[in-house]
Amino acid sequence: MKDAKNETITDSEWEVMRAIWTMGQTTSRELIDAMNQLQGWSDSTTKTLLHRLINKGAVAQSGTSRPFVFKPIVGEKESMAAAATDLFDHMCAMRAGSTIAGVIKTRELSQADIAELQAILTEKAKTAPEQVQCNCLPGHHMCEEVEEHGQ
């Protein structure tokens, strides 16, 4: 997946980012302790992931001496939106609706979340096409056949 700076972020790096976003800022010791407690990771695993995130421009290190402070450079909301967009950009456009529906079915949503989704869908319904056009390899529209057969 990609973050808001369009860098590829691994699943483990996402876990570190989630911790940093939650803490707002952190020292390496605080982060190491948190990741050990949450994931059972060794000190070196967390340090390696932290340095990868610094190199990718997702996290900044500040301070001239230890303990250094680490802060997120990319926002959580923006990074999640960029990762979701990246995911949907790599799938058949005809499957986006059923994929979103599947996610909604499996996630706990607040009343406010549901109201927002309903409002968005009501607005989108005004201009929605009867069917979304396939964006797969030209001449190889297997997704249309799968959709017709309910798979």
Side-chain angles (χ1 to χ4, degrees), residues 17-66:
M17 285 304 303
R18 286 186 63 213
I20 294 171
W21 283 320
T22 300
M23 293 186 263
Q25 67 178 29
T26 184
T27 65
S28 59
R29 174 51 41 204
E30 291 168 336
L31 183 62
I32 287 167
D33 291 345
M35 298 315 295
N36 180 272
Q37 184 178 19
L38 291 169
Q39 300 290 340
W41 292 347
S42 69
D43 292 13
S44 62
T45 297
T46 300
K47 286 179 187 176
T48 297
L49 294 169
L50 178 60
H51 288 287
R52 286 182 190 166
L53 290 166
I54 292 167
N55 291 336
K56 291 179 179 185
V59 174
Q61 175 182 315
S62 62
T64 56
S65 63
R66 293 176 191 244

Side-chain angles (χ1 to χ4, degrees), residues 66-77:
R66 293 176 191 244
F68 297 110
V69 175
F70 301 93
K71 297 178 185 179
I73 294 175
V74 295
E76 181 176 16
K77 190 174 183 178

Side-chain angles (χ1 to χ4, degrees), residues 88 91 93-105 147 151:
F88 280 93
M91 72 171 59
M94 292 181 71
R95 299 183 197 267
S98 62
T99 302
I100 292 168
V103 170
I104 290 170
K105 287 177 186 175
E147 291 295 321
Q151 296 178 355

Side-chain angles (χ1 to χ4, degrees), residues 104-129:
I104 290 170
K105 287 177 186 175
T106 62
R107 299 290 173 228
E108 185 175 11
L109 301 170
S110 70
Q111 292 291 322
D113 292 335
I114 294 168
E116 180 181 11
L117 289 168
Q118 288 172 329
I120 291 168
L121 290 172
T122 298
E123 193 60 33
K124 281 195 85 64
K126 295 175 184 176
T127 59

Side-chain angles (χ1 to χ4, degrees), residues 1-10 14 78-87 90:
M1 289 193 202
K2 297 190 184 222
D3 74 356
K5 289 200 169 210
N6 210 26
E7 286 284 340
T8 300
I9 301 292
T10 67
W14 274 110
E78 297 81 11
S79 294
M80 295 297 167
T85 298
D86 182 56
L87 173 65
H90 289 91

